[in-house]
Amino acid sequence: MPSDSPRAEHLDRRGLDIDEAVSFYERVYASHDIHISGATRGEFAWRYRTVGDEHVSVNTSAVGARRWGTINPGRQYILAWATRPGILLDTDSSSPLEMVPGVPVMYPAHREFTFDATPNTQHLVRFDGDFLEAVAAAHRDGVPGPLVFRRHPDPEALRTLQRVISAAGPELLHVDTARSTRIRRNLALAEAVAAAFDASPRKRVVPPAGTARFRSAQEWIVANAHLPISVTDVSRASGLSVRGLQDAFQREVGITPMRFLRETRLHRVRAELLSADAAETTVAEVARAWGFSHLGRFAAYYEQVFAELPSATLRRPLAPR
């Protein structure tokens, strides 16, 4: 559920046992078939360290032997770079992705994929799906939704991303970094990733927008969609009068600010339903958490946008997470 108070957490695991490493990495990558081999007794070591909050975590993974298997990113987006050659992603596809040392790549998203890696150290940045989708939506003036990325980023934007990583890394890796600083660094990193890899929703809901204040209103709605907000709240946050706000939305995207809010919330509900277990979650509790108090109207809105009832989304077979 949404939270207004990201809290930094720290995990540092290491060991010398291959079976222990396999068990740990299968949990980390929501996998069921990670394999490690090629190390003799007394020569193998592994370590995994992560520091982060509910929006972004920074991870370092070092494994002293060859490993292969599957990874399930689930509702996360993962940026990664390796220190040495020898890591291949999406090995079962027609065009596997080879990780070049020091060059960030985005892991395949929304699906399980295979990998093969020689002894290596990887640095990873894990983004919560809702968080990165909201940032990308604001970047493109759209409604949040599942993202697609350019496989090979723009070189200049990639250099910008690397500079942001270098600047943000020391603070994000420190568990005692102030919350306000961590939030700023999280946002800067997410914006740089969205720009470098041209992150865009699979389906554009809103066309490109115009004025700075209109964009500010969109960004504010996306960031605060989990709160009970009114058109007056948006007006105050954006610096536009209520009439000016209504006119700007009609002119730029052809809908009202409150409909934009509703569609943003619908996409967030869908994201949660797709990743939820029907045995443990109800449509009603997810809908209410995102501000839909009238469940009948909510279901009608949902079916109009997604061409299926929310209950059908929740009953879909769970993808591995």
Side-chain angles (χ1 to χ4, degrees):
M1 297 300 171
S3 170
D4 293 322
S5 302
R7 181 172 60 88
E9 296 184 350
H10 175 234
L11 172 70
D12 193 345
R13 290 285 302 275
R14 67 185 77 189
L16 305 174
D17 184 80
I18 290 180
D19 291 337
E20 181 186 22
V22 168
S23 177
F24 177 81
Y25 279 99
E26 285 187 340
R27 291 196 302 274
V28 167
Y29 291 118
S31 178
H32 53 82
D33 64 348
I34 287 180
H35 309 272
I36 299 177
S37 71
T40 59
R41 184 174 295 277
E43 294 182 351
F44 173 76
W46 66 277
R47 183 181 183 184
Y48 186 91
R49 181 177 183 238
T50 179
V51 180
D53 56 31
E54 65 181 57
H55 293 153
V56 177
S57 66
V58 181
N59 315 267
T60 299
S61 173
V63 182
R66 180 183 171 231
R67 67 269 189 210
W68 68 95
T70 60
I71 290 174
N72 281 298
R75 277 290 297 148
Q76 290 187 330
Y77 296 101
I78 303 175
L79 175 77
W81 62 99
T83 59
R84 299 172 55 187
I87 298 182
L88 207 59
L89 306 178
D90 222 6
T91 54
D92 284 350
S93 73
S94 59
S95 55
L97 176 62
E98 182 176 1
M99 295 183 67
V100 177
V103 179
V105 301
M106 293 300 297
Y107 274 14
H110 318 297
R111 62 179 175 86
E112 180 180 274
F113 66 92
T114 54
F115 75 97
D116 195 323
T118 57
N120 214 316
T121 297
Q122 266 195 100
H123 300 285
L124 308 99
V125 181
R126 293 172 173 262
F127 295 92
D128 169 72
D130 286 341
F131 174 69
L132 189 58
E133 287 169 10
V135 172
H139 182 72
R140 286 181 165 267
D141 304 308
V143 170
L147 299 173
V148 293
F149 305 90
R150 288 180 60 180
R151 188 166 192 177
H152 302 289
D154 172 76
E156 182 56 38
L158 182 60
R159 285 190 287 271
T160 299
L161 170 60
Q162 291 171 318
R163 288 193 293 269
V164 172
I165 291 171
S166 296
E171 290 177 320
L172 292 180
L173 282 168
H174 200 294
V175 72
D176 293 326
T177 293
R179 174 178 176 269
S180 58
T181 301
R182 186 172 295 277
I183 290 173
R184 287 197 303 272
R185 292 301 195 185
N186 286 349
L187 183 58
L189 198 51
E191 289 175 338
V193 166
F197 291 91
D198 194 24
S200 58
R202 287 179 173 177
K203 181 179 180 182
R204 293 292 300 278
V205 182
V206 187
T211 67
R213 286 190 177 183
F214 169 74
R215 174 169 177 159
S216 174
Q218 282 190 306
E219 291 176 349
W220 193 87
I221 289 173
V222 169
N224 294 276
H226 59 290
L227 301 174
I229 59 179
S230 67
V231 69
T232 303
D233 296 323
V234 183
S235 169
R236 289 171 180 163
S238 63
L240 290 167
S241 67
V242 171
R243 177 62 181 273
L245 182 70
Q246 299 277 9
D247 289 346
F249 268 82
Q250 288 291 348
R251 180 178 64 253
E252 300 292 345
V253 293
I255 59 176
T256 67
M258 291 299 96
R259 181 174 170 183
F260 180 81
L261 170 63
R262 186 178 75 204
E263 292 189 1
T264 298
R265 287 173 169 171
L266 287 172
H267 280 267
R268 293 296 184 81
V269 169
R270 183 172 178 81
E272 288 202 23
L273 293 179
L274 285 170
S275 61
D277 187 338
E280 301 175 355
T281 306
T282 67
V283 169
E285 65 184 6
V286 176
R288 289 194 178 101
W290 285 102
F292 294 100
S293 57
H294 193 292
L295 297 182
R297 282 199 293 267
F298 157 73
Y301 293 147
Y302 189 97
E303 186 177 19
Q304 183 180 21
V305 173
F306 301 114
E308 69 177 10
L309 289 171
S311 56
T313 305
L314 181 60
R315 288 196 302 268
R316 287 188 181 189
L318 285 174
R321 289 173 183 77

